[in-house]
Amino acid sequence: MSKLSSIRPSSFSLFNSRAYQGSLNQIFSPNEDHISRSTATTLSSVLQRYIKSDTPFYGQTIHAHILKIGFVPNTNLSIKLLILHLKCGRLKNARQMFDELPQRTLSAYNYMVGGYLKQGLVAESISLVQRLILDGERPDGFTYSMILKVSTSGCNLALPRNLVGMVHAQIVKSDVQPDDVLCTALVDAYVKSGRIDFARRVFDMMIEKNVICSTSMISGYMNRGFVEDAEEIFKKTIEKDVVVFNAMIEGYSKSVETATKALEIYVEMQRFGFRPNISTFASIIGACSVLAGFEIGQQVQAQLLKTELFTDIKVGSALIDMYSKCGRIEDARRVFDCMPEKNVFSWTSLIDGYGKNGMPIEALELFYKMRQCGTEANYVTFLGALCACAHAGLVAEGREIFESMEKDYSMKPRMEHYACMVDLLGRAGSLHLAWDFVMGMPEKPNSDVWAALLSSCNLHGSVEMARVAANELFKLNAEGRPGAFMALSNALASAGKWDNVSELRETMKSRGILKDTGSSWVGTESVI
């Protein structure tokens, strides 16, 4: 079956000139008389120009006239019409052209698969790939790159667990020569599937490593804590862009050990002439949060004020979170009040900030105001509201909020919400209610739930219940919870059971479980 080598996915590029559209309409007026006197070659050429223009929808009138006069398009013209409909977002029309093709080519399959993926219709794209193979067509590099995108689309389809490896094996077995697009898709797919080692092998085999591929590798390494490997890739990337700088800044900003390096990269990228974008600002503000460096955050905000990005929701939410974590809740509220538009993340950041800064009443007031404004709460919002209730001792309000999750929002509470409710009841001194709540959970309590109960028992001196909670906690995660041993030890000490305290301390020593050393940060003159 012959392939139309002149038609490639690259034909989706746009011409930005408005004058081009006017001249196109002067050269070719899409009316029935003109079309009836035109050849398929002429129509194909004109359609190609519409496809490349920034107003491709004008070309749809040609298809309408073709249908009206009964003109029968050949395969080449039909594929051009298919591409035109895809450019216009008319997926249904494009599929109709595809189904009516007298001879479905590999190019036609590729365009339709790409069109479905662009609209997020993964199942349809998979179905077309299967049909492509049944029709006897051999996938090319573009087809394989589309399949790799499917593997990382996060869809709910039951795909093979090692789909990326299977596709890679097929590429090796076939005579397809991997180009930059295919190699980049392979690297990205391996990174997103957690196989960073295989991604690195493909990356190292590439003769020319593009910046997109480098960015994917850097993000993969940073997400797994392999900072030195990410730094190696970054240093070897010759042609850098703002995205690769962003990958480094975001990766550094996740840990207090590396957050200072995020600031250094932020300064370096601007020295190279790259202007920070929304992702840059969000990540660097995150680094300020980790470092509790609100002074640096204020400088970033001052820089933001000079750009059109200051009103962006993502940046505003990041500033609220940063100021809240730095204890500057008044500054966080000012940013919130100045935001022209707010989403659930903006509201949640401030609600959580109020709760963690010892202002639970303000947190709850904001939570109720958010509901009045019609913004739907998410899981983190409810967690912040429940924590606020726990700190304020508002048991009735906490129960109401917890029950509203499933009743009003159809949101099944998670373990952290159950743990928060146990903490709420326990702090209020209702230990038996907390115990009954744990026993009535629809799922088996995890270590967070038992830890919350143990903490409450320690607070109110309930030794026997503390023993039960501690034993359940140790069954789940003994080594990872040194604080649980200390909580039980303190409860026993408060009750005067010193023999039991000594026995517990010996158990800790024999298991090599050490109490974490407490530490705090104090900032002075921009130094932590």
Side-chain angles (χ1 to χ4, degrees):
M1 193 173 288
S2 62
K3 298 180 183 179
L4 299 175
S5 57
S6 61
I7 304 176
R8 295 294 297 166
S10 59
S11 62
F12 279 102
S13 59
L14 302 177
F15 287 132
N16 295 320
S17 173
R18 291 280 177 183
Y20 177 79
Q21 178 60 48
S23 62
L24 179 56
N25 286 334
Q26 290 176 1
I27 295 170
F28 187 90
S29 177
N31 56 59
E32 294 173 27
D33 181 59
H34 200 154
I35 289 174
S36 63
R37 291 185 285 106
S38 299
T39 63
T41 304
T42 304
L43 290 173
S44 178
S45 177
V46 173
L47 283 172
Q48 183 66 19
R49 293 182 182 181
Y50 276 115
I51 289 167
K52 288 185 175 182
S53 73
D54 55 359
T55 53
F57 49 86
Y58 286 124
Q60 290 183 309
T61 57
I62 296 178
H63 193 192
H65 290 311
I66 286 175
L67 293 173
K68 196 171 183 179
I69 66 174
F71 187 93
V72 181
N74 60 19
T75 301
N76 186 41
L77 186 58
S78 295
I79 293 178
K80 288 290 175 66
L81 288 168
L82 183 154
I83 298 168
L84 180 72
H85 288 308
L86 288 175
K87 277 292 300 291
C88 298
R90 303 294 183 104
L91 201 55
K92 186 177 179 181
N93 292 352
R95 182 55 191 258
Q96 185 178 350
M97 288 303 307
F98 177 83
D99 290 336
E100 292 175 357
L101 279 170
Q103 187 180 22
R104 283 183 285 273
T105 65
L106 180 60
S107 294
Y109 272 110
N110 283 344
Y111 282 118
M112 279 308 305
V113 171
Y116 277 128
L117 278 179
K118 191 175 181 180
Q119 297 283 345
L121 301 173
V122 178
E124 287 81 354
S125 64
I126 287 287
S127 177
L128 265 187
V129 171
Q130 292 171 337
R131 185 173 167 183
L132 176 155
I133 296 170
L134 289 174
D135 276 357
E137 288 287 351
R138 295 184 62 184
D140 62 2
F142 186 78
T143 317
Y144 284 125
S145 67
M146 291 295 102
I147 300 173
L148 289 168
K149 285 185 179 180
V150 168
S151 70
T152 59
S153 62
C155 63
N156 294 323
L157 294 176
L159 299 174
R161 188 173 181 179
N162 189 28
L163 180 58
V164 182
M166 293 167 64
V167 173
H168 194 181
Q170 285 298 121
I171 293 171
V172 174
K173 289 178 182 178
S174 67
D175 58 355
V176 173
Q177 291 298 318
D179 55 12
D180 282 351
V181 175
L182 184 54
C183 286
T184 301
L186 260 176
V187 169
D188 187 60
Y190 271 130
V191 167
K192 290 178 179 176
S193 62
R195 302 304 303 270
I196 192 72
D197 50 342
F198 283 94
R200 183 58 186 264
R201 291 181 192 178
V202 176
F203 181 80
D204 288 340
M205 289 173 62
M206 294 175 66
I207 299 173
E208 294 184 7
K209 299 169 179 58
N210 59 62
V211 69
I212 300 173
C213 222
S214 298
T215 303
S216 184
M217 286 299 305
I218 288 170
S219 298
Y221 277 133
M222 284 295 195
N223 289 337
R224 286 157 186 80
F226 302 148
V227 177
E228 292 181 1
D229 293 300
E231 289 173 340
E232 178 196 352
I233 298 291
F234 181 74
K235 289 176 183 177
K236 290 181 178 179
T237 304
I238 299 172
E239 294 184 7
K240 296 180 175 67
D241 62 5
V242 67
V243 181
V244 76
F245 274 104
N246 284 349
M248 290 298 294
I249 293 170
E250 183 184 2
Y252 281 141
S253 68
K254 293 177 181 178
S255 167
V256 65
E257 288 80 14
T258 57
T260 304
K261 290 186 177 181
L263 302 175
E264 295 171 1
I265 293 291
Y266 177 69
V267 173
E268 182 183 341
M269 70 173 285
Q270 293 177 80
R271 285 176 179 164
F272 277 101
F274 295 107
R275 294 181 61 184
N277 58 21
I278 291 171
S279 296
T280 317
F281 281 119
S283 295
I284 201 63
I285 292 169
C288 296
S289 298
V290 171
L291 292 170
F294 76 90
E295 298 97 338
I296 302 172
Q298 287 176 325
Q299 294 177 40
V300 174
Q301 184 180 1
Q303 186 179 4
L304 258 172
L305 285 167
K306 299 175 184 177
T307 72
E308 70 281 359
L309 305 176
F310 181 69
T311 57
D312 183 80
I313 294 180
K314 184 178 180 181
V315 171
S317 300
L319 281 169
I320 294 169
D321 182 68
M322 183 270 294
Y323 280 127
S324 297
K325 288 178 178 175
C326 293
R328 311 280 293 194
I329 196 66
E330 298 86 0
D331 291 328
R333 185 58 191 253
R334 272 193 288 271
V335 172
F336 180 83
D337 290 337
C338 289
M339 291 177 69
E341 188 180 352
K342 303 172 183 69
N343 62 10
V344 64
F345 301 107
S346 317
W347 290 93
T348 301
S349 294
L350 191 56
I351 290 169
D352 188 57
Y354 274 131
K356 289 179 178 176
N357 280 277
M359 304 173 73
I361 303 302
E362 289 81 354
L364 290 174
E365 287 176 354
L366 196 66
F367 174 74
Y368 291 126
K369 185 178 179 181
M370 170 186 167
R371 296 172 77 172
Q372 291 172 1
C373 291
T375 303
E376 284 202 10
N378 60 19
Y379 285 101
V380 182
T381 317
F382 277 108
L383 191 62
L386 288 172
C387 287
C389 289
H391 286 289
L394 303 172
V395 177
E397 288 83 352
R399 277 189 176 277
E400 181 185 346
I401 290 171
F402 181 83
E403 290 169 2
S404 73
M405 287 184 68
E406 207 154 7
K407 183 174 66 177
D408 300 332
Y409 293 87
S410 299
M411 295 170 67
K412 185 180 179 181
R414 296 174 177 172
M415 279 295 168
E416 53 264 36
H417 300 99
Y418 283 104
C420 204
M421 277 301 298
V422 172
D423 182 56
L424 167 62
L425 295 169
R427 280 174 184 261
S430 304
L431 288 178
H432 290 291
L433 285 178
W435 174 262
D436 291 340
F437 184 83
V438 173
M439 293 297 101
M441 285 176 59
E443 299 178 33
K444 188 177 180 180
N446 69 357
S447 58
D448 292 332
V449 175
W450 289 115
L453 184 61
L454 176 58
S455 176
S456 298
C457 293
N458 182 32
L459 181 65
H460 296 286
S462 179
V463 178
E464 294 308 315
M465 193 181 291
R467 283 183 185 276
V468 176
N471 287 334
E472 292 296 330
L473 180 57
F474 297 154
K475 289 177 187 177
L476 295 170
N477 186 12
E479 280 70 23
R481 290 279 187 175
F485 281 94
M486 296 308 303
L488 179 58
S489 175
N490 292 337
L492 292 169
S494 299
K497 298 181 180 293
W498 295 106
D499 291 340
N500 298 114
V501 171
S502 300
E503 183 182 339
L504 186 63
R505 291 295 177 96
E506 287 298 321
T507 301
M508 289 179 64
K509 190 180 295 184
S510 64
R511 292 188 183 183
I513 299 172
L514 302 174
K515 179 179 177 294
D516 293 333
T517 305
S519 62
S520 60
W521 287 355
V522 177
T524 175
E525 297 181 0
S526 301
V527 177
I528 294 176

